[in-house]
Amino acid sequence: MRLALFADVHANLEALTACLAHAEAAGVDGHAFLGDLVGYGADPVAVLELVQAHAERGALVVLGNHDAAVIEPREAATMNPTAEEAVRWTRERLGPAARAFLGGLPLVIRRDPLVLVHASADAPGEWAYVTDPLHAQRSLAAAGAPYVFCGHVHEPVLYYTGAADRPVAFRPVPGVAIPAPPRRRWLAVVGSAGQPRDGNTAACYAIVDVARASITFHRVPYDWPAAAAKVRAAGLPERLAQRLAHGE
């Protein structure tokens, strides 16, 4: 099975459609969405319709903190003012069906040998960031599986356990398949499709080939000026358009 994994789409339709087209050209067998489908971007309705259509065909989808904040206002209270404003704007545009779809998403999905989660598997509803080997170790220990895939951090990175079973961080090269045998444990932060923050405007996603035990990270150029123009036209904070323009 070759599974395409997308995280932090953040209502960026241009980025999502570009990634989906790239994954289709790569011949993937399935799709997984690792949370934060909405928030920040200007196309929450269209993105949710697209993801829901994939879910109806078997795609795996987990809940992210921005998704949770849209359906539960108390979740938004912990966000910075820009994120909170975007969540409020998004909430006003989603109908009952879209909210019900978000409300029905799980925090974690287990599909042996994979665990899918938005943040850390050790406390998935607390939205802890996996930004270092210590947090990666905690998530891997809680998952109890050879492979953990997550988002939330917006920058792609791969952690793998070495001889002492301590995770080591590795910066993947886009398009290069990384051998990932299950005798080690692997935690992949797949990067953000809709709002990359590593100085590169190209959208991020990853493909795991379970049969061949490999993980490939991808960067996909997309029409970010169009997505940024939509953010401005929607009256969302200018900072959100600037982030798309600079990838940070």
Side-chain angles (χ1 to χ4, degrees):
M1 179 181 69
R2 299 179 73 237
L3 184 67
L5 303 117
F6 313 93
D8 298 286
V9 174
H10 283 300
N12 186 333
L13 184 62
E14 285 73 18
L16 177 57
T17 54
C19 287
L20 287 170
H22 191 279
E24 181 178 357
V28 300
D29 306 306
H31 303 81
F33 298 88
L34 305 179
D36 278 5
L37 303 172
V38 298
Y40 295 146
D43 278 313
V45 174
V47 163
L48 286 179
E49 289 176 348
L50 189 53
V51 172
Q52 191 166 3
H54 279 76
E56 291 169 356
R57 297 193 294 271
L60 306 173
V61 191
V62 298
L63 186 74
N65 57 309
H66 287 254
D67 308 323
V70 166
I71 56 178
E72 175 48 71
R74 286 177 298 180
E75 291 276 356
T78 61
M79 293 178 158
N80 65 60
T82 297
E84 187 175 7
E85 180 177 345
V87 163
R88 184 167 56 251
W89 181 92
T90 301
R91 187 183 300 126
E92 293 170 352
R93 280 151 184 84
L94 297 186
R99 294 190 191 192
F101 174 67
L102 290 177
L105 297 178
L107 288 168
V108 180
I109 292 178
R110 295 178 180 271
R111 290 288 188 279
D112 187 37
L114 314 178
V115 169
L116 311 179
V117 62
H118 179 63
S120 177
D122 70 323
E126 296 180 8
W127 315 115
Y129 290 90
V130 179
T131 53
D132 54 48
L134 176 61
H135 285 88
Q137 189 171 34
R138 291 174 179 169
S139 187
L140 282 165
Y147 303 101
V148 178
F149 291 91
C150 65
H152 201 35
V153 178
H154 287 232
E155 296 184 22
V157 62
L158 179 65
Y159 296 92
Y160 66 96
T161 56
D165 203 35
R166 295 176 181 170
V168 176
F170 174 76
R171 291 289 175 183
V173 176
V176 177
I178 302 166
R183 67 176 181 275
R184 298 181 182 273
R185 293 181 298 152
W186 305 84
L187 186 149
V189 183
V190 304
S192 173
Q195 196 191 75
R197 296 179 184 172
D198 59 353
N200 183 347
T201 59
C204 306
Y205 86 102
I207 296 175
V208 57
D209 188 326
V210 176
R212 296 189 176 185
S214 69
I215 303 170
T216 307
F217 291 73
H218 292 285
R219 300 304 294 260
V220 182
Y222 74 99
D223 190 358
W224 64 259
K230 288 182 178 179
V231 167
R232 295 188 175 101
L236 287 161
E238 172 63 20
R239 169 66 175 149
L240 299 177
Q242 289 295 321
R243 296 198 94 155
L244 299 181
H246 299 288
E248 58 187 20

